[in-house]
Amino acid sequence: MPVSLAVAKLMEEYNRFSSTTLNELFDKDEKRAEKYTIEFSDLMYDYSKNRFDDKVLDALFDLAEEHNLKARINDMFEGKKINVSENRAVLHTALRNFSGESVYVDGKDVMPDILRVQEKMKVFSDAVRSGEFRGATGKKLTNIVNIGIGGSDLGPYMVTTALRKYWADDIECYFISNIDGTACAEVLKRINPEETLFIVASKTFTTIETLTNARTCREWLVKALGEDAVKNHFVALSTNAKEVEKFGIDINNMFEFWDFVGGRYSLWSAIGLSIALAVGYDNFIELLKGAEAMDIHFRNAPLRENIPVIMALLGIWYNDYYNLHRYAVIPYNQYMKFLPSYLQQLDMESNGKSVRLDNKKITDYATGPVLFGGAGTDVQHSFFQLLHQGTAAVPVDFIIPAISQNETGKHHLILLANVLAQAEALMKGKTLEEVEAELRASGKNEEEIEKIKYNKVFEGNRPSNMFIIKKLTPFTLGMLIAMYEHKVYTQGVIWEIDSFDQWGVELGKQLALKILPELESDELKKHDGSTENLIKRIKQIRG
Ligand code: G6Q
């Protein structure tokens, strides 16, 4: 976001507006909530509790226009190579394109291949779920173990957990990602090999964690059931047929996807096979249809009514003008407890960049914020203290279904009351006068009041978005995930970065490959003093 007319205008707006509080904005305009709420399908987005007025919004939309946002959105949907540093198209949207229209990359329509793999996923997931496809000893495959990491793990893990209510009764899903042997050991001790389907999910099929875990699981299975059982118990999800074959998985048992699907955008592809197995293919398609609905909205809605665009612009407003480089996402829903970890990768791996598309180093503005979160109400009892009384605000997204899938007694009403109360408390705060009056009313004397009163003040004016979905379904979940994907892309466009590469994960991998042989032998190469010392000490401790 280099200095430009819109940026200069936003600076002016910041100087004019930044001392205005949310309470003042609501006092001035009793229609504010209505005015800044968008209803779309089963989703309601209330962004009224954010620090802006119409003039700020105008300047933010000018910023979007200045970056040709509409055209850049079309570039993505049309298969242009917007992943510049890897020279790739970015077409996770094609995976959920049910319009019947073609999508081209390098002059080739990608839709026939996508539909072919979807059909293969349908046939296979139906066969496993019905028991038509069985294990080597004739048992039904009811333990689904996804072996993958990063984008090949977080999406399916988050979605299967979120859609737990839709799982077939006899199915259990497990996810092995960490190279820590504990991840494998703890799953393998719980499952029966005769009833287990291993899904090796790796776009490149070269990722050391995934291949090491897959080899361990393969050895375990072969030991129990023999080499011949592999074809009934192992499938691969990958773009790399050669490596899949080398590993010993029959190509007929491979579900492919393509370079235009980025790892953290891949749950909609074959990488979603564990989802289809857990919740059934029709529900997997519902998830994709929810995402498609959000795609259509993102592509066609005017910028001023466009949910991901508004979220993105407000995020930029906080990040680059208020200097709030942090952001929390709090689903008030137990099933969605892994959504923040999933979004953490989506947001931070996509926009945690400091080189622009034109290869210039970014020195004068901030890109992606730190994203964290957890499920409410649990996190109210952990980090909410900092949200309410820390030295600076943290913009928050609250997400809650209006209707629970488990309406038990008063649970859901209490949950709803809490999410509304937290957003209200963050915004309204509590003044010193209110605190003093409250303490007096409770019978405290002046000396006692003086001692405690400042600790009880809530500054307020802390912004939040509120997302209310009717109910958590595959469709609404698909909508929500796609909404965040598009928010991230919009911010990347404005920050002028490549949101689809991830070079920042490479250096650590290279160094680990150098250190590994040093841990295995007496060899010690040149490192910094600290690393050398740590290697020596670890070797001593391990004997
Ligand atoms: C995501 C990243 C990364 C990737 C993993 C796993 O966008 O590219 O998280 O998904 O490194 O890679 P493989 O699927 O190739 O094993």
Side-chain angles (χ1 to χ4, degrees):
M1 207 183 40
V3 180
S4 65
L5 272 181
V7 170
K9 178 86 193 304
L10 276 163
M11 252 349 277
E12 264 174 44
E13 284 304 313
Y14 179 78
N15 292 334
R16 172 190 66 84
F17 176 82
S18 58
S19 57
T20 313
T21 66
L22 288 168
N23 287 334
E24 286 163 0
L25 292 168
F26 274 92
D27 287 346
K28 247 195 280 175
D29 182 0
E30 59 181 32
K31 293 235 152 43
R32 184 175 171 87
E34 245 170 77
K35 195 167 155 192
Y36 301 124
T37 294
I38 297 177
E39 304 252 3
F40 172 70
S41 184
D42 280 345
L43 169 69
M44 174 180 159
Y45 170 39
D46 173 2
Y47 59 103
S48 63
K49 290 198 204 69
N50 281 290
R51 296 180 191 171
F52 68 87
D53 63 8
D54 278 338
K55 286 176 83 183
V56 170
L57 266 193
D58 286 346
L60 286 168
F61 287 118
D62 286 350
L63 181 71
E65 303 272 4
E66 208 177 61
H67 284 83
N68 295 320
L69 181 59
K70 273 275 170 197
R72 297 291 305 281
I73 291 173
N74 274 327
D75 287 350
M76 177 171 74
F77 283 95
E78 285 169 5
K80 297 239 171 83
K81 303 221 168 154
I82 59 169
N83 179 353
V84 177
S85 77
E86 294 181 307
N87 193 29
R88 286 179 186 164
V90 175
L91 278 178
H92 44 284
T93 51
L95 300 164
R96 55 225 193 187
N97 163 28
F98 297 98
S99 69
E101 279 165 27
S102 301
V103 181
Y104 294 95
V105 176
D106 292 329
K108 183 184 176 227
D109 183 4
V110 298
M111 289 313 298
D113 278 345
I114 290 175
L115 296 176
R116 177 177 50 78
V117 176
Q118 281 180 349
E119 181 58 25
K120 187 169 172 177
M121 288 171 73
K122 174 179 164 44
V123 171
F124 184 71
S125 55
D126 285 353
V128 171
R129 285 165 61 88
S130 67
E132 190 192 324
F133 183 97
R134 287 178 179 258
T137 61
K139 290 223 164 125
K140 208 174 163 199
L141 296 168
T142 51
N143 296 318
I144 310 298
V145 182
N146 190 85
I147 308 171
I149 198 163
S152 300
D153 166 72
L154 287 161
Y157 189 30
M158 181 274 286
V159 171
T160 49
T161 309
L163 298 181
R164 172 101 218 190
K165 195 75 180 177
Y166 293 81
W167 288 18
D169 287 342
D170 57 354
I171 279 198
E172 200 53 62
C173 292
Y174 302 88
F175 288 82
I176 298 177
S177 57
N178 203 324
I179 188 65
D180 183 343
T182 303
C184 254
E186 283 298 327
V187 171
L188 295 182
K189 78 179 187 203
R190 279 184 175 72
I191 54 178
N192 174 356
E194 292 176 90
E195 298 169 345
T196 299
L197 177 70
F198 291 100
I199 302 176
V200 187
S202 177
K203 183 173 164 178
T204 54
F205 231 78
T206 56
T207 306
I208 190 163
E209 292 94 330
T210 301
L211 290 189
T212 309
N213 281 324
R215 273 187 212 108
T216 302
C217 292
R218 195 181 191 282
E219 275 163 27
W220 176 83
L221 183 100
V222 168
K223 200 166 159 207
L225 304 178
E227 186 73 36
D228 215 33
V230 172
K231 63 179 183 309
N232 290 64
H233 294 268
F234 269 83
V235 296
L237 320 175
S238 189
T239 57
N240 192 344
K242 237 164 97 192
E243 288 297 325
V244 168
E245 254 189 321
K246 224 159 97 188
F247 178 85
I249 294 180
D250 191 325
I251 289 304
N252 291 323
N253 283 346
M254 168 177 153
F255 297 78
E256 67 180 305
F257 59 111
W258 309 271
D259 269 354
F260 57 76
V261 181
R264 54 194 174 277
Y265 298 86
S266 65
L267 71 91
W268 323 98
S269 71
I271 290 292
L273 186 66
S274 55
I275 304 171
L277 285 161
V279 303
Y281 188 76
D282 290 349
N283 281 321
F284 178 66
I285 290 297
E286 273 300 292
L287 177 83
L288 268 54
K289 289 209 159 144
E292 185 198 31
M294 186 53 74
D295 293 345
I296 295 170
H297 168 81
F298 180 55
R299 198 171 180 185
N300 299 330
L303 297 185
R304 285 171 180 271
E305 293 157 31
N306 198 311
I307 299 171
V309 171
I310 294 169
M311 291 167 71
L313 292 174
L314 290 172
I316 285 174
W317 179 231
Y318 295 130
N319 198 59
D320 292 299
Y321 295 86
Y322 284 89
N323 286 323
L324 302 174
H325 309 304
R326 52 209 154 239
Y327 171 35
V329 180
I330 321 288
Y332 273 66
N333 181 279
Q334 188 64 14
Y335 289 125
M336 283 198 265
K337 64 181 173 188
F338 295 132
L339 183 68
S341 331
Y342 167 81
L343 293 178
Q344 196 163 56
Q345 182 196 25
L346 176 68
D347 210 305
M348 293 170 73
E349 207 172 46
S350 298
N351 286 343
K353 311 280 164 69
S354 52
V355 175
R356 285 178 6 184
L357 286 165
D358 62 6
N359 282 325
K360 296 217 165 75
K361 172 102 182 104
I362 297 171
T363 51
D364 52 352
Y365 61 92
T367 59
V370 173
L371 189 153
F372 66 101
T377 58
D378 287 4
V379 290
Q380 288 177 200
H381 301 265
S382 62
F383 60 73
F384 265 49
Q385 164 63 39
L386 184 146
L387 301 192
H388 286 289
Q389 291 187 316
T391 46
V394 180
V396 181
D397 282 359
F398 291 108
I399 305 171
I400 189 163
I403 302 166
S404 169
Q405 284 157 328
N406 299 297
E407 290 275 351
T408 329
K410 272 173 99 158
H411 284 255
H412 202 58
L413 290 181
I414 297 172
L415 189 71
L416 281 160
N418 269 279
V419 73
L420 297 175
Q422 289 299 329
E424 188 177 24
L426 284 168
M427 176 174 85
K428 288 178 100 172
K430 195 188 267 183
T431 63
L432 187 59
E433 295 71 45
E434 286 169 327
V435 170
E436 284 170 343
E438 216 176 80
L439 288 171
R440 260 178 222 122
S442 74
K444 295 259 183 297
N445 64 38
E446 289 309 309
E447 198 186 325
E448 288 168 328
I449 292 173
E450 194 55 35
K451 238 185 189 168
I452 187 112
K453 64 182 184 185
Y454 295 109
N455 296 299
K456 290 184 158 261
V457 170
F458 289 69
E459 207 175 83
N461 200 31
R462 305 205 161 193
S464 64
N465 284 312
M466 181 69 71
F467 298 93
I468 298 181
I469 51 173
K470 188 171 168 196
K471 205 169 177 179
L472 177 60
T473 62
F475 188 90
T476 52
L477 182 65
M479 261 193 333
L480 280 177
I481 301 168
M483 174 184 88
Y484 279 102
E485 286 177 346
H486 297 324
K487 181 218 83 145
V488 165
Y489 176 53
T490 302
Q491 294 185 326
V493 166
I494 291 172
W495 286 324
E496 299 189 4
I497 53 178
D498 187 337
S499 297
F500 302 103
D501 60 12
Q502 56 283 316
W503 298 105
V505 300
E506 294 302 324
L507 179 58
K509 282 192 209 169
Q510 276 171 11
L511 290 179
L513 287 178
K514 184 176 160 196
I515 293 172
L516 180 61
E518 298 170 61
L519 292 172
E520 287 172 324
S521 67
D522 290 339
E523 172 193 17
L524 185 57
K525 293 186 195 121
K526 187 81 197 128
H527 296 273
D528 61 277
S530 165
T531 308
E532 279 176 18
N533 195 40
L534 290 168
I535 292 173
K536 273 190 221 145
R537 281 294 292 135
I538 287 172
K539 280 160 96 162
Q540 277 166 4
I541 297 167
R542 286 176 61 86

